[in-house]
Amino acid sequence: MVPPEAAVGQDTRADQDLPVIAEFAVRRRAYMAPDGTLLRDLPEFAGDRESVVSMYRGMMLARAFDLKAVALQRTGRLGTYATSLGQEAVAVGVASAMQPADVLLPSYRDNAALLWRGVTMEDILLFWGGDERGSNWSGPKQDFPFCIPVGSQAPHAAGVAYAFKYRQQARVAVCILGDGATSKGDVAEAMNFAGVWKLPVVFLVNNNQWAISVPLERQTAAQTLAQKAIAAGFCGEQVDGNDIFAVHAAAETAIAAARAGKGPSLIEAVTYRLGDHTTADDASRYRPAEEVKEHWKEDPIARLRGYLISRENWSKAEEEQIAAECEQRVDAAIDRYLAAAPRAAESMFDHLYARLPSVYAAQRKEAEEQKNA
Amino acid sequence: MVPPEAAVGQDTRADQDLPVIAEFAVRRRAYMAPDGTLLRDLPEFAGDRESVVSMYRGMMLARAFDLKAVALQRTGRLGTYATSLGQEAVAVGVASAMQPADVLLPSYRDNAALLWRGVTMEDILLFWGGDERGSNWSGPKQDFPFCIPVGSQAPHAAGVAYAFKYRQQARVAVCILGDGATSKGDVAEAMNFAGVWKLPVVFLVNNNQWAISVPLERQTAAQTLAQKAIAAGFCGEQVDGNDIFAVHAAAETAIAAARAGKGPSLIEAVTYRLGDHTTADDASRYRPAEEVKEHWKEDPIARLRGYLISRENWSKAEEEQIAAECEQRVDAAIDRYLAAAPRAAESMFDHLYARLPSVYAAQRKEAEEQKNA
Amino acid sequence: MPELTLVDAVNLALARALADDPDVVVFGEDVGVNGGVFRVTAGLQKRFGVERVFDTPLSEALISGLCVGMAAQGLRPVGEIQFMGFLYPCIDQLVNHASRLRNRTQGRLSCPMVLRTPHGAGIRAPEHHSEATEAMLAHIPGLRVVIPSAPERAYGLLLAAIRDPDPVVFLEPTRIYRAVKGEVEDNGEAMPLDVAFVIREGRDVTLVSWGAMVKDTLEAADELAGDGIDAEVIDLATLKPYDEQTIVNSVAKTGRCVIVHEAARTGGFGAEIAALVAERALLSLLAPVARVTGYDTVIPLPRLERQYIPSVARVVAAARKTCKFPD
Amino acid sequence: MPELTLVDAVNLALARALADDPDVVVFGEDVGVNGGVFRVTAGLQKRFGVERVFDTPLSEALISGLCVGMAAQGLRPVGEIQFMGFLYPCIDQLVNHASRLRNRTQGRLSCPMVLRTPHGAGIRAPEHHSEATEAMLAHIPGLRVVIPSAPERAYGLLLAAIRDPDPVVFLEPTRIYRAVKGEVEDNGEAMPLDVAFVIREGRDVTLVSWGAMVKDTLEAADELAGDGIDAEVIDLATLKPYDEQTIVNSVAKTGRCVIVHEAARTGGFGAEIAALVAERALLSLLAPVARVTGYDTVIPLPRLERQYIPSVARVVAAARKTCKFPD
Ligand SMILES: Cc1ncc(C[n+]2csc(CCOP(=O)(O)OP(=O)(O)O)c2C)c(N)n1
Ligand SMILES: Cc1ncc(C[n+]2csc(CCOP(=O)(O)OP(=O)(O)O)c2C)c(N)n1
Ligand SMILES: [Mg+2]
Ligand SMILES: [Mg+2]
């Protein structure tokens, strides 16, 4: 964790006699210490026990879902899967700050955010099970599907936000990116454009400190990722990404500002990827077990639980009930996922264009016949 | 011009109670007022009259060259051409701070820098006359040719600098970009990488405030372009780009730092494009004549002349001699350019690969025969 | 009907689309006040406002990605890439997103966007301003690739592209931006996409071409007529998906096929046409299929560009040879 | 000789190149400590150090551009793009710079770089991890495009690519990364580029393929042998510039040609081969040229990827039909 008082980034090389023409500061937001004790006054929404508990439930559900999804993958019933283990506060913190009519542009790791937004677990599984139908969800109709080419959804977010602004809709686009994604040129281009047009978009960086095996210090020399916004002329803030109050509060502020026409923001949520990159990865090849163990101490779920226990009379019974409920919901969804109808080969032509050009009819027929052969 | 004392860029929206974890400042360097009077002590190199005069000569030559090149274009003897009118201090200021073994990666507007580096005028004309042979110059062998896809030479600069570092050569790559180029994703990627590896590279932005018809405020919301470096974790400085002392001093400092292993820098040289974008452009369509007229008052050549007159006993005779000499050199080069041998059609195959694959021999023959047909 | 240049026809179609549909927005580098470096968007910002016709920062990948985001929201974005040589950073968005959004979401989201860009050489422009790499785009499933060869088709095809529910790359041949004029009525009528136009009927040989080369191909047909060779000329117009049947029918009739394009030969879209003919019209063929194309070299700077672009003479020679075969 | 997988053969060639030539540097995302997501670069950073084998930030355009800068300085950069679906941001550098640096400077600078990337579907990988868009690259003048189909050729061709004085894109078929083994001797010998390999001789039909499909094509040839059809199998190996003569010679002998590739059909590189045959071997042809390819659809997610990739049965059926023609 960055020591809260250290002001880094000062240019030691510049001629100190030269006049300063622009100054920038990156601030850091945190409310809870790793044990759930408070560092400062909580934001207003934290006063509502029910909403805090629902965030807790959202994180628990994501974790239960991740666990079972990995088990499905290990037993050959799901494709490559990326968990949000340890990063649940990021996805849930931001998703819970959005309104239904806002649009989410997620990365492949943001299952937890989709769940919160109302995408069903069976749809998510269907996608990771290798079936396009999973992205034709019944949940938030205008949300984007998982983006796999890292960072490439950032320009879409700018486009969506432009549409909102153009139509004078009080809606906000929220784009979730990884720390690795901040190195992509398209992300820089999108942020720069969003700055020029003061678009209603929030870029949320899940800084889990690894991009597969590449640690943050090989990714960038920037002391914070929040400062990437300075290049685009708007503000960036760092938050403790394991503190759901901090993530939610920062997201709420940024989304409200965007909605009010005050332009884009960047939020860097510093957390840690407690699991492998995906089920196709073996992180023990490139990072020591001790490092991971250290970071378990900052687990966002344990932290919120600590808070609930000490501040909200959280009972064992409540705890167990939520766990059981999550388990049960996931199991039921898995059953539905496994029962999904097979997909016909020729269906790969069905949404290629709004109407299939006649020239491809023969190919479609070939695919159909091949299946029957 | 940005008022030297105004500290802009402060985030007025952020929660001012949150602790600051990183701070950044952009400084501005200027020595001469528009009339050539001094604002502060000059850097050491300015004490050497001869080198100051040679910079003056470099700017004069560039202007004379530009003028005649445009005339050639207007009379159908040259292709599209981009002048550096008003921006001569940028190109000459940085080129004169480089060593011969350093490598320049120029944009299409940097004729003046190439001239300083020893590329002949006839080679430059040959290129803009539509002949690849112009880039096979006898000057600095490892310098890159003009880059036309905006910003796309920035990753090359990083690659060149990596080679220097890898081979432990005390050499520096200098990449000249426009203000528009700072919006390109590849430029951001290159700067970020240069930061991670502390590469010996200097990114010099010729902020002439226009990218064809797009003014800076439609290009970016960043208050300065120097701050683009903050995203990459290194420092940026703004200089008065019409003050050749400022450009040269900043470049000298940055190049020395790079050579000493201290990593990359970004220099934003604020100047103004006094001419059309290129000979294919008509700037009167999109900017008022008064704006241009205003900026003529900051002409870097007039400014240095003012300095020379008031400080260095610059005589009318010296002045005229340089002007005449430049004129004469340009005229001689144009004669050589116009006398260049025609290029054979089949030569388009000659440097396609190191050795022409046999499969293309027939095509080469066809090109040769077509010409003779 | 007024005689318009191709530039004016494109401008007219854009104005029509902007006037008819508030969801249409036009953007790119210098398309606003400046009206585009070729003046294609001249007057549009003034007429439709800065929110509907605007300049972007110098960021091509962004321009294409913006289109995707806007289109997913139901706008009808028309992005401009200033020259085809600067379109390459858009390929990521075109392949990975624009062409797939509908399929990926099984129709939940779609991508009705147009990306316009000038195409081809022949105007003595600097390096990178003369690209003709349509074949790279025409290989992308889910995309449409359209290139008009005359003002009248530019108007109708661009309207079709803007109204099409799927992503379209619209290539505008710079060499004929102002070199040809045609009668264009501003009737708001779109032309069909995925249809090839038989613009000259003939019995002896089928000449297939697109973009600026159609003009040269027509000239070649005129010259061939002097030899008594009656050439049929097809303007492919839409390269992806393309109209196979019109070509097959024509070759079935003529028995001979010459394909003319400006792009480099190897892997150019002419290969696709030749392959089609070799598959579906082999028995009709009286002579080998010929391709008259740019060389497999980097497109040269202006001094040699005319030697690179297939000349009328090369087209005529290839057609004559094909017609004389097996002599 | 040891039996190696294709992954191991590539690793061996990289190690050899790094050991032989201090100018060789290897980089990309996760190629360092992690040894690449496919383990292709496993052990190399440890052996050759972090300056010669290093992780880049997540920036594909940069990776390709770095190659150009390094190569211009005389290094021999070998960049890795983690999957072909992430190579698109490199196309700008490949077209506008890598392939042109020599020509643009008339030989003053050159670009001896290699860009490696996994190619193709069939390993149940997520979206964008199954691309086969070699045709886009094989259209670029000045570039070489190479794709091995077996460990022995992977080793020899990669060494050739690294030593070649010009830019090479080296595609590695993921489906056979570990599915085939071959005898590879670490003898430091490069194989020729721009040569196609006749890997099975036959009289009745020419099957042309490349990459992972070569394995299936060989299986098809075995099956056809059971019918008494003697198929010749050509592994194209280098797509740009490609060996036209070997194909023409083969078709002159067999009179029949079936082209097999995984990529979408329209504008795939198979079109180029078919065009070649239609131009230069027409009179030998006893049947239409056939293409067995991926469909003109977005490559589907894993559930349907096997239906997308041409099956052995489809190759066999096409070859049978070709051999029976005109029945
Ligand atoms: C453009 C692109 N390049 C490479 C990849 C392969 N890849 C998948 S995830 C990943 C690392 C992403 O790191 P980060 O952005 O930090 O996100 P995280 O996985 O840590 O959430 C890479 C390199 C990709 N998906 N997209
Ligand atoms: C990638 C790319 N996009 C578009 C163009 C067309 N174009 C040429 S110069 C230019 C403006 C460049 O502005 P800037 O970077 O400020 O440089 P300046 O011309 O002002 O020196 C544009 C858009 C180009 N050359 N390259
Ligand atoms: Mg990460
Ligand atoms: Mg500029």
Side-chain angles (χ1 to χ4, degrees):
Chain A
M1 231 171 58
V2 183
E5 299 308 331
V8 292
Q10 284 294 9
D11 175 9
T12 52
R13 212 161 79 202
D15 186 339
Q16 303 296 327
D17 289 346
L18 296 174
V20 168
I21 54 164
E23 283 184 324
F24 308 93
V26 174
R27 295 171 186 276
R28 180 179 167 96
R29 190 188 292 261
Y31 297 97
M32 284 192 286
D35 62 0
T37 58
L38 294 184
L39 304 170
R40 56 202 298 268
D41 287 350
L42 284 180
E44 211 184 293
F45 68 83
D48 178 19
R49 188 183 198 266
E50 207 168 309
S51 54
V52 177
V53 171
S54 80
M55 287 183 204
Y56 181 79
R57 188 184 294 111
M59 293 201 286
M60 285 291 287
L61 182 65
R63 193 163 288 186
F65 181 69
D66 276 349
L67 206 70
K68 302 239 168 178
V70 170
L72 281 175
Q73 191 280 334
R74 297 287 183 234
T75 51
R77 292 173 296 168
L78 195 72
T80 305
Y81 182 82
T83 76
S84 54
L85 193 67
Q87 304 144 74
E88 293 87 350
V90 177
V92 173
V94 68
S96 59
M98 293 173 68
Q99 293 188 2
D102 294 336
V103 164
L104 178 70
L105 296 102
S107 298
Y108 48 84
R109 197 179 294 291
D110 303 319
N111 301 293
L114 271 72
L115 284 178
W116 184 278
R117 300 268 299 156
V119 180
T120 68
M121 286 182 267
E122 53 268 36
D123 279 338
I124 295 176
L125 290 170
L126 205 53
F127 175 77
W128 294 116
D131 192 322
E132 285 82 354
R133 291 175 303 177
S135 294
N136 186 14
W137 57 58
S138 51
K141 279 291 180 198
Q142 295 186 10
D143 279 9
F144 267 60
F146 293 106
C147 184
I148 288 183
V150 168
S152 60
Q153 82 277 35
H156 308 164
V160 168
Y162 190 91
F164 294 162
K165 181 165 182 157
Y166 176 69
R167 289 174 166 159
Q168 303 185 320
Q169 297 171 337
R171 299 167 70 192
V172 178
V174 174
C175 181
I176 311 186
L177 302 161
D179 45 307
T182 63
S183 298
K184 281 285 296 307
D186 42 8
V187 174
E189 293 188 0
M191 294 208 306
N192 185 58
F193 179 78
V196 173
W197 282 85
K198 282 183 158 264
L199 296 181
V201 53
V202 174
F203 299 98
L204 182 101
V205 176
N206 170 358
N207 178 3
N208 62 14
Q209 306 186 48
W210 290 91
I212 309 186
S213 71
V214 181
L216 194 60
E217 70 268 19
R218 306 305 287 173
Q219 193 67 246
T220 186
Q223 304 90 329
T224 70
L225 296 178
Q227 77 203 51
K228 298 262 174 187
I230 296 171
F234 56 87
C235 46
E237 176 178 307
Q238 193 183 74
V239 305
D240 181 340
N242 296 323
D243 173 349
I244 195 163
F245 293 137
V247 178
H248 185 96
E252 201 174 47
T253 309
I255 290 171
R259 207 183 304 286
K262 293 190 188 147
S265 309
L266 174 70
I267 300 169
E268 174 196 9
V270 182
T271 176
Y272 190 83
R273 199 191 77 209
L274 290 172
D276 290 336
H277 169 68
T278 65
T279 51
D281 177 50
D282 174 4
S284 70
R285 283 205 200 104
Y286 53 79
R287 65 179 189 186
E290 303 79 64
E291 178 182 313
V292 181
K293 213 175 130 196
E294 255 330 284
H295 281 284
W296 266 106
K297 296 181 188 155
E298 297 171 353
D299 174 16
I301 296 187
R303 188 178 303 195
L304 187 58
R305 190 184 301 126
Y307 165 85
L308 286 168
I309 291 170
S310 70
R311 294 281 179 145
E312 297 279 6
N313 295 316
W314 187 245
S315 70
K316 193 87 195 153
E318 271 181 296
E319 172 70 31
E320 279 165 6
Q321 196 224 315
I322 285 186
E325 178 202 314
C326 289
E327 185 100 348
Q328 199 185 328
R329 282 178 60 195
V330 174
D331 286 338
I334 288 175
D335 288 344
R336 288 191 296 273
Y337 159 64
L338 293 173
R343 203 168 155 219
E346 67 276 15
S347 71
M348 66 177 98
F349 288 89
D350 291 350
H351 295 284
L352 187 59
Y353 296 89
R355 196 151 16 124
L356 189 68
S358 57
V359 70
Y360 299 137
Q363 288 191 27
R364 188 177 191 280
K365 198 147 163 255
E366 193 183 342
E368 195 172 350
E369 281 164 3
Q370 191 196 347
K371 175 189 60 176
N372 301 332
Chain B
M1 230 170 56
V2 182
E5 297 310 329
V8 292
Q10 284 295 9
D11 175 8
T12 52
R13 212 161 78 204
D15 184 340
Q16 302 296 325
D17 290 345
L18 296 174
V20 168
I21 55 165
E23 283 184 324
F24 308 93
V26 173
R27 294 172 186 277
R28 181 180 166 96
R29 191 188 291 263
Y31 298 96
M32 283 192 289
D35 63 359
T37 57
L38 294 185
L39 304 170
R40 56 202 299 267
D41 285 350
L42 284 182
E44 212 185 292
F45 67 82
D48 178 21
R49 186 183 199 268
E50 206 167 311
S51 52
V52 176
V53 170
S54 79
M55 287 181 206
Y56 181 79
R57 189 184 292 110
M59 293 200 286
M60 284 290 287
L61 182 65
R63 192 163 290 185
F65 181 69
D66 276 348
L67 206 71
K68 301 239 168 176
V70 170
L72 281 175
Q73 191 279 337
R74 297 285 183 237
T75 51
R77 292 173 297 169
L78 195 71
T80 305
Y81 182 82
T83 76
S84 54
L85 192 67
Q87 306 142 73
E88 293 88 350
V90 177
V92 173
V94 68
S96 59
M98 293 174 68
Q99 293 187 1
D102 295 336
V103 163
L104 178 70
L105 296 102
S107 298
Y108 47 84
R109 196 179 296 290
D110 303 319
N111 301 294
L114 271 72
L115 284 178
W116 184 278
R117 300 268 299 156
V119 179
T120 67
M121 285 182 269
E122 53 267 37
D123 280 337
I124 294 175
L125 290 171
L126 205 53
F127 175 77
W128 294 115
D131 192 322
E132 286 82 355
R133 291 175 302 180
S135 293
N136 186 15
W137 55 59
S138 51
K141 278 290 179 198
Q142 296 185 9
D143 279 9
F144 267 59
F146 293 106
C147 184
I148 287 181
V150 167
S152 62
Q153 82 276 35
H156 308 163
V160 167
Y162 190 92
F164 293 161
K165 181 166 182 155
Y166 175 70
R167 289 174 165 158
Q168 304 184 319
Q169 298 171 337
R171 300 167 69 192
V172 178
V174 174
C175 180
I176 311 186
L177 302 161
D179 46 307
T182 64
S183 298
K184 280 286 295 303
D186 44 7
V187 173
E189 293 189 359
M191 294 208 306
N192 185 58
F193 178 78
V196 173
W197 283 86
K198 282 184 158 261
L199 295 180
V201 53
V202 175
F203 299 98
L204 183 102
V205 176
N206 169 358
N207 178 3
N208 62 14
Q209 306 186 51
W210 290 90
I212 309 186
S213 72
V214 181
L216 194 60
E217 70 270 19
R218 305 306 286 173
Q219 193 66 246
T220 186
Q223 303 89 331
T224 70
L225 297 177
Q227 77 203 53
K228 299 261 174 189
I230 296 171
F234 57 87
C235 46
E237 177 177 306
Q238 192 182 78
V239 306
D240 181 340
N242 295 323
D243 172 351
I244 195 162
F245 294 136
V247 178
H248 186 95
E252 200 174 49
T253 308
I255 289 172
R259 207 183 304 286
K262 294 189 188 147
S265 309
L266 174 70
I267 299 168
E268 174 195 8
V270 182
T271 174
Y272 190 84
R273 199 192 77 209
L274 290 172
D276 290 336
H277 169 68
T278 63
T279 50
D281 178 52
D282 174 3
S284 70
R285 282 205 201 103
Y286 51 80
R287 64 180 190 186
E290 302 78 63
E291 177 184 313
V292 181
K293 211 175 134 196
E294 252 335 280
H295 281 285
W296 266 106
K297 296 182 186 153
E298 297 171 353
D299 173 16
I301 296 187
R303 188 178 306 194
L304 187 58
R305 190 185 300 125
Y307 165 84
L308 286 169
I309 292 169
S310 68
R311 294 279 179 146
E312 298 279 6
N313 295 319
W314 186 245
S315 69
K316 194 89 193 149
E318 272 181 296
E319 173 70 32
E320 279 165 5
Q321 196 223 315
I322 284 188
E325 179 204 313
C326 290
E327 184 101 350
Q328 197 186 331
R329 281 179 61 195
V330 175
D331 285 340
I334 287 174
D335 288 344
R336 288 191 296 271
Y337 159 66
L338 292 173
R343 204 171 153 216
E346 68 276 15
S347 71
M348 66 176 97
F349 288 89
D350 291 350
H351 296 284
L352 188 59
Y353 297 90
R355 197 153 12 127
L356 189 68
S358 57
V359 70
Y360 298 137
Q363 287 191 29
R364 187 178 192 281
K365 198 148 162 254
E366 194 182 342
E368 195 173 348
E369 281 164 4
Q370 191 198 345
K371 173 191 61 180
N372 301 332
Chain C
M1 270 188 291
E3 285 255 312
L4 297 186
T5 63
L6 207 149
V7 162
D8 295 333
V10 172
N11 182 280
L12 200 64
L14 289 171
R16 182 79 188 209
L18 282 159
D20 285 355
D21 184 351
D23 285 335
V24 174
V25 287
V26 170
F27 51 92
E29 296 155 14
D30 305 293
V31 304
V33 181
N34 196 34
V37 294
F38 284 105
R39 323 284 308 124
V40 170
T41 54
L44 298 180
Q45 184 177 74
K46 197 154 192 198
R47 181 162 162 209
F48 297 101
V50 77
E51 303 227 312
R52 299 195 65 197
V53 180
F54 64 89
D55 291 334
T56 62
L58 212 163
S59 314
E60 280 79 8
L62 169 85
I63 292 171
S64 54
L66 273 184
C67 285
V68 176
M70 291 179 183
Q73 277 294 309
L75 292 185
R76 299 267 162 170
V78 183
E80 175 180 308
I81 299 299
Q82 204 162 81
F83 283 90
M84 195 169 193
F86 312 131
L87 177 133
Y88 303 115
C90 306
I91 290 184
D92 184 38
Q93 286 290 336
L94 292 175
V95 178
N96 279 335
H97 292 294
S99 65
R100 298 187 187 202
L101 191 58
R102 178 185 295 282
N103 183 68
R104 159 182 299 142
T105 61
Q106 295 289 289
R108 182 170 62 82
L109 296 175
S110 64
C111 195
M113 63 176 265
V114 176
L115 199 63
R116 296 174 41 245
T117 195
H119 171 275
I123 55 163
R124 304 193 60 75
E127 208 176 359
H128 306 288
H129 289 63
S130 304
E131 302 283 295
T133 39
E134 65 274 13
M136 297 176 96
L137 305 174
H139 185 45
I140 305 175
L143 201 67
R144 290 186 199 272
V145 180
V146 177
I147 178 167
S149 68
E152 43 284 30
R153 285 189 292 285
Y155 176 84
L157 291 172
L158 181 53
L159 279 184
I162 295 172
R163 292 176 194 164
D164 193 83
D166 292 303
V168 181
V169 176
F170 192 83
L171 304 171
E172 301 171 3
T174 53
R175 191 147 51 92
I176 55 166
Y177 252 157
R178 299 183 182 279
V180 296
K181 287 202 168 194
E183 299 201 332
V184 182
E185 198 189 341
D186 186 13
N187 56 11
E189 274 176 31
M191 281 179 163
L193 299 180
D194 66 41
V195 163
F197 299 90
V198 179
I199 52 174
R200 176 187 172 124
E201 295 199 19
R203 283 156 315 160
D204 297 333
V205 59
T206 301
L207 309 181
V208 183
S209 191
W210 51 89
M213 289 311 304
V214 170
K215 179 168 172 282
D216 306 273
T217 303
L218 282 170
E219 282 174 34
D222 284 344
E223 202 171 319
L224 289 165
D227 295 6
I229 295 175
D230 187 18
E232 177 143 310
V233 177
I234 297 178
D235 173 7
L236 196 56
T238 297
L239 273 64
K240 175 78 181 176
Y242 77 102
D243 177 2
E244 300 185 0
Q245 203 53 51
T246 296
I247 296 168
V248 170
N249 291 349
S250 177
V251 177
K253 175 173 71 173
T254 62
R256 303 172 200 268
C257 182
V258 176
I259 302 148
V260 183
H261 64 65
E262 184 175 321
R265 176 189 188 82
T266 301
F269 203 69
E272 172 59 35
I273 310 293
L276 170 78
V277 171
E279 281 160 1
R280 294 191 46 205
L282 185 76
L283 294 191
S284 315
L285 274 185
L286 303 169
V289 178
R291 287 183 281 172
V292 183
T293 70
Y295 298 114
D296 278 321
T297 62
V298 174
I299 159 88
L301 294 188
R303 283 228 177 158
L304 293 184
E305 68 176 346
R306 284 285 161 183
Q307 276 84 342
Y308 177 89
I309 300 169
S311 60
V312 172
R314 276 176 71 201
V315 178
V316 168
R320 277 198 191 123
K321 193 171 159 203
T322 300
C323 289
K324 279 197 200 130
F325 186 86
D327 278 8
Chain D
M1 270 188 293
E3 285 254 312
L4 297 186
T5 62
L6 206 150
V7 162
D8 295 334
V10 172
N11 182 280
L12 200 65
L14 289 171
R16 181 80 188 207
L18 283 158
D20 285 357
D21 184 351
D23 285 335
V24 174
V25 287
V26 170
F27 50 92
E29 295 156 15
D30 305 293
V31 304
V33 180
N34 195 34
V37 293
F38 283 105
R39 323 285 306 125
V40 171
T41 54
L44 298 179
Q45 184 177 75
K46 198 157 191 192
R47 182 164 162 208
F48 297 101
V50 77
E51 302 227 313
R52 300 196 63 197
V53 180
F54 64 90
D55 291 334
T56 62
L58 212 163
S59 314
E60 280 79 9
L62 169 86
I63 292 172
S64 53
L66 273 184
C67 285
V68 176
M70 292 180 181
Q73 277 294 308
L75 291 186
R76 297 268 163 170
V78 183
E80 176 180 305
I81 300 300
Q82 204 162 80
F83 283 90
M84 193 166 195
F86 312 132
L87 177 134
Y88 303 115
C90 306
I91 290 183
D92 184 37
Q93 286 289 336
L94 291 175
V95 177
N96 278 336
H97 291 295
S99 65
R100 299 187 187 203
L101 191 58
R102 178 186 294 284
N103 185 68
R104 159 182 300 144
T105 61
Q106 295 289 289
R108 182 169 62 80
L109 297 174
S110 64
C111 194
M113 63 175 265
V114 177
L115 199 63
R116 297 174 38 245
T117 194
H119 171 275
I123 55 163
R124 304 193 60 73
E127 208 175 359
H128 304 290
H129 289 65
S130 304
E131 302 285 294
T133 37
E134 65 275 12
M136 296 175 97
L137 305 173
H139 185 45
I140 305 174
L143 200 66
R144 290 185 200 273
V145 180
V146 178
I147 179 167
S149 69
E152 42 285 27
R153 284 189 291 284
Y155 176 86
L157 292 173
L158 181 53
L159 279 184
I162 295 172
R163 292 176 194 163
D164 194 84
D166 291 305
V168 181
V169 176
F170 193 82
L171 304 171
E172 300 171 4
T174 54
R175 192 147 51 89
I176 55 165
Y177 250 157
R178 299 181 183 280
V180 296
K181 287 201 167 196
E183 298 200 332
V184 182
E185 199 189 340
D186 187 13
N187 57 10
E189 274 175 30
M191 282 178 160
L193 299 180
D194 67 43
V195 164
F197 299 90
V198 179
I199 53 174
R200 174 183 173 127
E201 297 199 16
R203 283 157 314 162
D204 297 333
V205 59
T206 301
L207 308 181
V208 183
S209 190
W210 51 89
M213 289 311 304
V214 170
K215 181 168 171 281
D216 306 273
T217 303
L218 282 170
E219 281 174 34
D222 285 345
E223 203 171 317
L224 290 165
D227 295 6
I229 296 175
D230 186 17
E232 177 144 309
V233 177
I234 297 178
D235 172 7
L236 195 57
T238 297
L239 273 65
K240 176 77 182 176
Y242 77 104
D243 177 3
E244 299 184 0
Q245 203 53 51
T246 295
I247 295 168
V248 169
N249 290 349
S250 177
V251 177
K253 176 172 71 173
T254 63
R256 300 171 202 269
C257 182
V258 177
I259 303 149
V260 182
H261 64 64
E262 185 175 320
R265 177 189 188 80
T266 301
F269 202 68
E272 172 59 36
I273 310 293
L276 170 78
V277 171
E279 281 160 1
R280 293 193 42 207
L282 184 77
L283 294 191
S284 315
L285 274 184
L286 304 170
V289 178
R291 287 184 281 172
V292 183
T293 69
Y295 297 115
D296 278 321
T297 63
V298 175
I299 158 88
L301 293 188
R303 284 227 178 158
L304 293 183
E305 67 177 344
R306 284 286 161 182
Q307 275 86 339
Y308 178 88
I309 301 170
S311 61
V312 172
R314 276 177 71 201
V315 179
V316 168
R320 277 198 191 124
K321 193 172 159 201
T322 301
C323 289
K324 279 196 200 131
F325 187 87
D327 278 10

